[in-house]
């Protein structure tokens, strides 16, 4: 059967406790932290508002990204298992890119939430109704599933060369595509189109939302009110930056940075998939008083 060879971090031995142990702690923090966040939002009725519904969607997308990379990452660093069947690689690639598109869509929904809350505060409850939030969540989820599905179908039909060594500890579409022996123009074109229709369009929508938010805030006379309005956007802006900066960097170096050392590709890919779930959890838990208070109460009860 056709198999691919996954690689660890260049310059490190395949089995390294110095890498495996922190990686396990990182995954444990992601899983427990995001599950705790979801439980807090579900049980605290004061958090049943549009902003926290979108935050729970973001936590579920982060959990999906984490669980998509968890099996192969731990298999490499703990058990030195680098081979992966072609079908399993396609499944992993599909879920990674699907959850990435879902997270991008959730960030757009959160930007719209901040736009309505700051620019039209009196109409916030009438605009962001429960039915609208459920519809938006369903559309975001279906878009992530449908847009990435042709990517997996197209690459499954391609012939691969003898060299089947991938550049990362998990399967990515760009990385698999460079090992194809046949004509990849259709795959590459659709992959680029999918990125433009998801992350590309979403980033422009978020940018437009914040341009309108900044214009609305600057029209407020009181500096204290301006600072308060901007402070409500800090968490979301942090989530946007830590998601899109590694994503854009990874897309650029896969297409134009083939001369760069392998370590650059590896670090950007790991930052794209491992950093957002952890940082989003820490930022929202620290910046949101209700969540921070609820988590502290939970910890005190357990003690």
């Amino acid at each position: 059967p056709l198999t691919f060879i996954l690689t660890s971090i260049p310059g490190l031995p395949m089995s390294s406790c110095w890498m495996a142990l922190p990686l396990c702690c990182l995954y444990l923090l992601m899983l427990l932290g995001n599950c705790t966040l979801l439980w807090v939002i579900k049980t605290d009725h004061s958090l049943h508002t549009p902003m926290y519904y979108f935050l729970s969607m973001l936590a579920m997308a982060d959990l999906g990204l984490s669980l998509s990379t968890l099996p192969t990452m731990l298999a490499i660093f703990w058990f030195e298992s680098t081979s992966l069947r072609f079908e399993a690689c396609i499944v992993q690639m599909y879920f990674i890119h699907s959850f990435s598109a879902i997270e991008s869509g959730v960030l757009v929904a959160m930007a719209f939430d901040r736009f309505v809350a700051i620019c039209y505060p009196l109409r916030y409850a009438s605009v962001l109704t429960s039915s609208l939030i459920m519809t938006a969540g369903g559309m975001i989820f279906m878009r992530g599933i449908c847009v990435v599905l042709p990517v997996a179908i197209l690459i499954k039909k391609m012939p691969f060369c003898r060299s089947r060594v991938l550049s990362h500890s998990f399967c990515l579409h760009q990385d698999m595509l460079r090992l194809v022996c046949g004509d990849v123009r259709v795959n590459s074109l659709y992959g680029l189109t999918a990125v433009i229709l998801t992350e590309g369009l979403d980033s422009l929508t978020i940018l437009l939302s914040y341009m309108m938010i900044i214009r609305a805030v600057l029209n407020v006379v009181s500096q204290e009110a301006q600072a308060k309005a901007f402070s409500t956007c800090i968490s979301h802006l942090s989530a946007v930056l830590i998601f899109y900066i590694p994503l854009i960097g990874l897309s650029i170096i896969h297409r134009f940075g083939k001369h760069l050392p392998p370590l650059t590709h590896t670090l950007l890919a790991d930052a794209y998939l491992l950093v957002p779930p952890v940082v989003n959890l820490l930022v929202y838990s620290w910046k949101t008083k209700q969540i921070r208070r609820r988590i502290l109460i939970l910890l005190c009860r357990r003690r």
Side-chain angles (χ1 to χ4, degrees):
L2 178 62
T3 59
F4 288 106
I5 305 299
L6 304 174
T7 57
S8 62
I9 297 176
L12 286 179
M14 187 65 66
S15 180
S16 173
C17 292
W18 295 104
M19 189 63 200
L21 189 59
L23 191 65
C24 283
C25 294
L26 186 67
Y27 273 114
L28 190 63
L29 175 63
M30 284 188 286
L31 296 176
L32 291 179
N34 282 292
C35 288
T36 302
L37 183 63
L38 289 170
W39 181 82
V40 167
I41 294 175
K42 180 182 178 180
T43 56
D44 192 342
H45 293 282
S46 65
L47 301 180
H48 291 181
T49 61
M51 184 179 74
Y52 295 106
Y53 287 143
F54 290 133
L55 180 56
S56 63
M57 294 180 195
L58 184 66
M60 286 189 285
D62 285 337
L63 278 173
L65 275 177
S66 302
L67 294 174
S68 298
T69 59
L70 175 66
T72 54
M73 293 282 282
L74 295 186
I76 288 174
F77 289 105
W78 277 116
F79 308 108
E80 300 183 34
S81 176
T82 59
S83 62
L84 188 66
R85 291 279 296 269
F86 176 57
E87 293 79 7
C89 195
I90 289 181
V91 170
Q92 185 184 48
M93 178 208 71
Y94 173 75
F95 279 112
I96 288 175
H97 290 292
S98 292
F99 281 112
S100 178
I102 290 171
E103 181 155 347
S104 178
V106 173
L107 291 174
V108 173
M110 297 175 79
F112 179 72
D113 171 80
R114 292 298 85 204
F115 166 72
V116 176
I118 293 174
C119 298
Y120 303 99
L122 299 178
R123 299 175 57 187
Y124 182 80
S126 61
V127 172
L128 289 171
T129 59
S130 299
S131 60
L132 178 64
I133 294 170
M134 292 180 63
T135 303
M139 291 177 64
I140 290 169
F141 185 77
M142 290 303 298
R143 187 191 70 163
I145 292 176
C146 297
V147 169
V148 183
L149 187 59
V151 173
I153 294 174
L154 286 171
I155 202 167
K156 192 176 187 303
K157 300 177 180 179
M158 302 302 293
F160 286 87
C161 304
R162 290 185 177 180
S163 176
R164 297 167 187 170
V165 181
L166 298 174
S167 304
H168 308 294
S169 305
F170 36 78
C171 299
L172 294 177
H173 178 248
Q174 307 97 314
D175 201 18
M176 295 177 65
L177 206 60
R178 69 180 179 83
L179 303 181
V180 173
C181 293
D183 188 2
V184 298
R185 285 179 295 180
V186 175
N187 300 65
S188 183
L189 180 61
Y190 182 80
L192 181 61
T193 304
V195 170
I196 292 174
L197 292 177
T198 53
E199 283 90 351
L201 189 61
D202 292 347
S203 59
L204 291 177
T205 305
I206 294 172
L207 179 61
L208 178 62
S209 299
Y210 271 97
M211 288 175 61
M212 300 176 70
I213 288 173
I214 291 172
R215 187 180 65 177
V217 171
L218 293 179
N219 289 332
V220 179
V221 177
S222 172
Q223 292 185 353
E224 182 180 355
Q226 290 180 355
K228 185 177 180 180
F230 280 126
S231 67
T232 62
C233 301
I234 292 176
S235 300
H236 179 253
L237 275 175
S238 301
V240 169
L241 292 176
I242 64 174
F243 177 79
Y244 280 106
I245 290 177
L247 172 63
I248 294 172
L250 185 64
S251 300
I252 291 174
I253 67 169
H254 264 297
R255 294 184 182 275
F256 308 109
K258 296 180 180 179
H259 62 283
L260 295 174
L263 183 61
T264 306
H265 294 251
T266 302
L267 291 179
L268 266 178
D270 290 346
Y272 161 54
L273 293 175
L274 301 180
V275 173
V278 176
V279 177
N280 289 341
L281 171 67
L282 297 177
V283 168
Y284 276 99
S285 298
W286 176 254
K287 290 294 295 181
T288 308
K289 293 180 180 179
Q290 295 93 324
I291 293 178
R292 188 168 69 246
R293 184 178 66 249
R294 186 72 176 179
I295 292 176
L296 290 174
I297 291 173
L298 176 64
L299 293 175
C300 292
R301 286 179 178 176
R302 288 189 174 181
R303 288 181 182 178

